[in-house]
Amino acid sequence: MESDWPTAMGRIVARSRELIGSRGPESIAFYTSGQLFLEEYYTLAVLARAGIGAPHLDGNTRLCTATAAEALKESFGSDGQPGSYEDIDLADAIALFGHNIAETQAVQWMRILDRLDGPEQPRLLCVDPRLTPVARRATVHLAPRLGTNVALLNALLHEVIRRGWTDPGFIARHTVGFEALRRQVAPCTARWAAGICDLPAAAIEEATELIGSADRLLSTVLQGFYQANQATAAAVQVNNLHLIRGMLGRPGAGVLQMNGQPTAENSRECGADGDLPGFRNWQNEEHVADLARVWNVEPSAITHDGPPTHAMEIFRLAEEGTVRMLWISATNPAVSLPELSRIRSVLTQEALFTIVQDLFLTETAQFADVVLPTATWGEKTGTFTNADRTVHLSERAVDPPGEARPDLDIFLGYAARMGFEDKDGGPLVHWNGPEEAFEAWKRCSAGRPCDYTGLSYEKLRGPSGLQWPCTERAPDRTDRLYVDGVDWAHPDLCETYGKDLVTGEPLGEEWYRAVNPDGKALIRAAPYVPPKERPDEERLTTGRTLYHFHTRTKTGRAPELVEAAPEVWVEIAAADAARLGLAEGDLVEVTTRCGSLQGRLRTGTVRPGVLFVPFHYGYWDTPGGNAPTSGTPGRAANELIATLWDPVSKQPQLKTAAAALTLVERVGGPDTGPRPNVRGAVSPSKRSGR
Ligand SMILES: Nc1nc2c(c(=O)[nH]1)N[C@H]1C(S)=C(S)[C@@H](COP(=O)(O)OP(=O)(O)OC[C@H]3O[C@@H](n4cnc5c(=O)[nH]c(N)nc54)[C@H](O)[C@@H]3O)O[C@H]1N2
Ligand SMILES: Nc1nc2c(c(=O)[nH]1)N[C@H]1C(S)=C(S)[C@@H](COP(=O)(O)OP(=O)(O)OC[C@H]3O[C@@H](n4cnc5c(=O)[nH]c(N)nc54)[C@H](O)[C@@H]3O)O[C@H]1N2
Ligand SMILES: [Mo]
């Protein structure tokens, strides 16, 4: 039923008051995004954390960059990207760990291509079980068994140490924990890893040579690590490679624990993910008191008796009935979360009041009690900060259509109608409009790693893109963090006291002060722990194509992109196809213990034993289609993925499931239309050959 803004907001406010009164603030949860503006996240964080006092606020960044953040915290004491995109232009070796940059960050890939085809060519290492376009250009391509990243990294660390490619001066000056790492990786020879990862030992040695002999090594890490087995432990080992080689804080030498979404970084720094704003440590009373001063509230108004709730836990609390109102903004969990049949049953519960704030009537919106139509970038003003800390101002170019409103206006309107107050009875959310919100955030960021105090809208209208920290002391920008040691790992300053890399158990302040009294970088060792599935089953992984963005709310409306990749497909190795008697183009069904999907087969692009399915395709083509009923196959990859997460970062393991593959219909059935014309996809000659 259509409504108007006052009525819709009236219902949300009434339900919020009723729930806070009867069940307390813990009955309300917010699930937001990596695609809003800084000003929107910050406003949401303030109203949720201090207004409602709910610990239940997280973003889809949990599915995306939770491991990036956690790996940085574990190694450097705090979130904050060490490297700079400029390092792509300057490195003499570039290593991509589980990162198909050619399809997922095509602009950065052009930058790498310029280097590969330019005068001083860097060597390229690709660690990916698929023959991606990156793999095709790589000097060394390692295609490990799914989920064995830690085994491979431990072998690389072993070999680097054995061959004397470490930087003892850097290790002594700037790190703690090297001895424990040396002990941990002592048995992890290239031959040992070769068996586990199913790789030639010689290829692992070649990769070590590439990394070990580089003068300026740039590494990037993304979802092939973050969404796989031992996510944080694996990402941390990449940091370790840089720490033991002294590859940090110099032009060309750096780590990019990457982000995928345009504003995942802002979500993290503003505390709209499961963290406190400004990378503050929820276990440090001084940090909480400092935040309370900024917000002019009592420290007790900011719930901090346990870690902020992570998204997977929010959905569990909704499932068991503790959370009764779930406000979803700029994300489409009915397609992007694991185990979709479960998510549908959570969202359809009568007792759960669901708000969906989106541009489109998504799969998730079909479950909403209230849908709030929003403006998007280009129709609203705000700032966004990319993975290397570069802050941009994005100004409204056109008016939003119809009654759509900027997300900021929606959050401000809610805060005003709820009447949230500070401790002196003034409005808690005391700003109007994006620029004032930005100014409020600057105060919150002051003195923190992500210090914005030297920035302003005015300044951002000058040269586009300035990297934080930007302060009085560094008024222009800061290219690289950790140019001279690690600044934020001191026990009084750090964002976390660390977690056990296998169990995720917090290690505690006492432990942290004992091992890292002076605040150096932490070299954190971890043993390889095999994934849970039996090794003899087919292993499913999921990911992206160049032609679609996520759940296709935008790209699914662009005819050219729909034509380039109209339907879900299934990739397997040519050898497996032959073994199973399957051919390119056959309609197959993939089944796991969670569900099933059908798609056409493509062969020859993944390592043996692996199935790959793109995760973009929701369960309808056009809004209004139906969710798959139980027993019927779907087409969303997340019908297949179980609810499992990394114990350290709580990022779901979206890249792993044991699966069975069966034939539904031989080639000759209706074709799925034209194929993407990229290197790395199936070649046209193969298509015409059948
Ligand atoms: N075109 C396009 N671009 C995008 C997006 C999009 O949807 N479409 N999304 C954006 C977002 S939010 C993100 S997070 C990024 C993601 O960007 P990427 O991380 O580059 O993308 P994915 O395809 O999810 O995963 C990367 C690779 O991980 C590999 N992989 C799978 N399992 C394993 C494993 O066990 N070990 C290793 N080493 N590798 C493995 C897969 O084969 C895949 O090629 O892309 C961003 N850019
Ligand atoms: N199996 C599997 N699952 C995955 C992944 C995988 O690799 N494999 N990758 C995971 C990753 S890394 C990510 S990031 C997630 C992405 O998962 P989602 O966040 O669910 O994906 P999107 O389709 O980008 O959803 C964003 C929604 O926000 C809306 N939107 C866009 N701009 C605005 C705005 O300005 N305001 C508002 N209110 N709405 C807006 C869009 O219309 C869209 O509905 O998926 C995760 N799920
Ligand atoms: Mo992402």
Side-chain angles (χ1 to χ4, degrees):
M1 188 177 68
E2 273 195 35
S3 183
D4 54 38
W5 279 102
T7 311
M9 196 48 91
R11 272 193 73 184
I12 296 172
V13 168
R15 184 59 72 105
S16 303
R17 290 221 173 95
E18 178 195 317
L19 281 171
I20 293 169
S22 63
R23 292 170 174 270
E26 250 123 83
S27 57
I28 297 181
F30 298 86
Y31 182 48
T32 187
S33 187
Q35 298 174 44
L36 296 180
F37 285 142
L38 176 151
E39 294 76 0
E40 295 164 341
Y41 296 128
Y42 183 59
T43 303
L44 178 59
V46 178
L47 75 83
R49 297 206 187 280
I52 292 180
H56 309 324
L57 163 61
D58 198 4
N60 67 358
T61 43
R62 187 62 57 186
L63 320 183
C64 184
T65 64
T67 302
E70 193 62 41
L72 294 171
K73 288 189 231 176
E74 296 298 333
S75 298
F76 305 107
S78 174
D79 196 351
Q81 186 75 271
S84 177
Y85 284 159
E86 196 199 10
D87 294 331
I88 295 175
D89 303 335
L90 305 170
D92 66 349
I94 302 176
L96 296 123
F97 294 99
H99 185 188
N100 182 11
I101 194 170
E103 294 195 74
T104 57
Q105 276 137 357
V107 175
Q108 302 293 13
W109 178 239
M110 289 193 274
R111 213 160 164 171
I112 295 181
L113 288 178
D114 281 346
R115 291 295 316 281
L116 293 177
D117 295 327
E120 281 167 52
Q121 298 159 1
R123 287 178 300 164
L124 192 67
L125 170 66
C126 171
V127 179
D128 195 308
R130 294 164 66 218
L131 191 56
T132 59
V134 177
R136 286 174 195 267
R137 291 300 306 265
T139 319
V140 179
H141 173 208
L142 301 177
R145 228 179 230 136
L146 295 188
T148 62
N149 294 323
V150 170
L152 175 63
L153 262 294
N154 279 353
L156 294 176
L157 288 161
H158 169 103
E159 292 294 322
V160 164
I161 295 171
R162 184 178 69 83
R163 299 186 60 176
W165 278 320
T166 56
D167 181 340
F170 186 94
I171 293 173
R173 274 196 312 281
H174 298 307
T175 72
V176 294
F178 178 65
E179 274 314 310
L181 178 78
R182 187 209 291 275
R183 277 196 306 276
Q184 182 72 60
V185 303
C188 305
T189 59
R191 282 192 52 181
W192 167 83
I196 292 170
C197 307
D198 186 27
L199 292 168
I204 299 177
E205 277 161 16
E206 261 181 79
T208 319
E209 166 104 41
L210 189 154
I211 286 172
S213 61
D215 290 325
R216 296 176 310 282
L217 172 68
L218 172 68
S219 295
T220 74
V221 191
L222 202 48
Q223 301 309 347
F225 272 47
Y226 299 164
Q227 296 172 342
N229 179 43
Q230 290 196 280
T232 307
V236 161
Q237 302 319 308
V238 178
N239 293 341
N240 287 346
L241 265 181
H242 283 257
L243 289 170
I244 69 171
R245 293 225 55 230
M247 290 286 161
L248 211 63
R250 286 190 279 122
V255 183
L256 293 168
Q257 297 284 352
M258 283 299 308
N259 299 356
Q261 294 175 88
T263 65
E265 181 61 43
N266 299 114
S267 186
R268 271 150 53 191
E269 52 199 40
C270 293
D273 67 343
D275 281 307
L276 292 186
F279 303 152
R280 287 175 174 85
N281 185 345
W282 64 269
Q283 287 182 293
N284 185 328
E285 288 299 334
E286 205 16 73
H287 287 203
V288 177
D290 177 47
L291 186 61
R293 269 192 297 277
V294 174
W295 290 346
N296 194 29
V297 298
E298 295 298 340
S300 59
I302 305 166
T303 312
H304 64 285
D305 50 2
T309 320
H310 61 86
M312 303 307 288
E313 181 69 5
I314 287 177
F315 277 82
R316 200 186 63 77
L317 293 172
E319 184 171 38
E320 66 168 38
T322 310
V323 161
R324 293 295 179 103
M325 171 173 146
L326 179 59
W327 189 329
I328 298 169
S329 48
T331 181
N332 189 8
V335 182
S336 55
L337 278 178
E339 207 178 335
L340 292 183
S341 57
R342 169 174 175 256
I343 298 305
R344 286 191 287 271
S345 73
V346 173
L347 293 175
T348 42
Q349 288 176 105
E350 202 45 53
L352 182 70
F353 183 75
T354 311
I355 302 150
V356 171
Q357 180 172 320
D358 204 287
L359 318 183
F360 299 110
L361 274 176
T362 59
E363 284 87 343
T364 309
Q366 307 299 316
F367 298 105
D369 294 279
V370 177
V371 177
L372 303 175
T374 67
T376 190
W377 65 275
E379 300 165 348
K380 60 181 185 180
T381 292
T383 48
F384 62 97
T385 303
N386 68 18
D388 78 343
R389 298 171 280 102
T390 305
V391 187
H392 297 272
L393 175 63
S394 172
E395 303 207 60
R396 175 195 280 224
V398 296
D399 289 334
E403 293 192 66
R405 288 190 180 170
D407 296 272
L408 181 63
D409 293 3
I410 296 172
F411 293 142
L412 289 174
Y414 176 70
R417 287 196 55 173
M418 288 296 289
F420 296 130
E421 290 178 351
D422 66 14
K423 68 178 180 194
D424 299 322
L428 173 72
V429 179
H430 50 78
W431 45 92
N432 285 297
E435 189 159 5
E436 284 181 31
F438 186 79
E439 291 298 318
W441 159 249
K442 276 166 61 178
R443 283 194 46 219
C444 184
S445 76
R448 300 301 307 157
C450 47
D451 194 322
Y452 278 66
T453 48
L455 292 169
S456 64
Y457 272 27
E458 194 49 43
K459 198 158 167 181
L460 290 166
R461 287 191 181 105
S464 167
L466 296 169
Q467 280 163 296
W468 64 245
C470 185
T471 60
E472 227 167 58
R473 273 193 13 229
D476 293 335
R477 63 170 203 266
T478 308
D479 297 348
R480 288 171 194 84
L481 303 185
Y482 312 142
V483 170
D484 184 25
V486 174
D487 314 313
W488 295 98
H490 189 276
D492 296 336
L493 304 175
C494 64
E495 187 181 2
T496 179
Y497 298 127
K499 292 178 186 165
D500 184 291
L501 291 186
V502 173
T503 63
E505 279 304 309
L507 295 166
E509 182 175 354
E510 217 172 296
W511 174 86
Y512 192 91
R513 287 192 183 274
V515 301
N516 198 17
D518 303 323
K520 296 182 174 186
L522 298 106
I523 295 178
R524 300 285 315 279
Y528 167 64
V529 181
K532 293 220 167 53
E533 290 95 17
R534 292 205 323 269
D536 55 325
E537 283 166 312
E538 306 289 342
R539 299 287 308 285
L540 170 76
T541 191
T542 62
R544 295 164 163 77
T545 171
L546 176 66
Y547 299 100
H548 286 297
F549 187 75
H550 294 171
T551 72
R552 295 166 70 250
T553 62
K554 293 175 183 169
T555 54
R557 289 175 165 84
E560 295 83 355
L561 299 175
V562 172
E563 202 195 334
E567 259 302 336
V568 67
W569 70 89
V570 181
E571 291 178 31
I572 65 171
D576 289 338
R579 179 171 56 83
L580 297 165
L582 297 171
E584 174 81 22
D586 284 349
L587 185 66
V588 292
E589 184 159 320
V590 183
T591 310
T592 68
R593 66 180 172 84
C594 294
S596 62
L597 69 69
Q598 293 189 356
R600 295 274 167 194
L601 201 64
R602 293 185 187 179
T603 63
T605 46
V606 290
R607 57 160 286 129
V610 168
L611 301 175
F612 174 87
V613 175
F615 90 101
H616 306 289
Y617 301 88
Y619 45 78
W620 57 60
D621 248 334
T622 48
N626 292 318
T629 51
S630 72
T632 61
R635 59 172 206 163
N638 282 321
E639 304 288 351
L640 305 171
I641 301 290
T643 307
L644 284 178
W645 59 79
D646 180 54
V648 192
S649 67
K650 322 296 182 201
Q651 180 158 352
Q653 294 187 357
L654 297 159
K655 297 234 185 298
T656 184
L661 186 68
T662 52
L663 177 70
V664 177
E665 181 187 81
R666 283 265 169 238
V667 190
D671 199 345
T672 51
R675 287 292 167 75
N677 183 23
V678 275
R679 294 177 65 178
V682 175
S683 72
S685 62
K686 274 199 194 140
R687 269 199 297 149
S688 53
R690 58 178 165 84

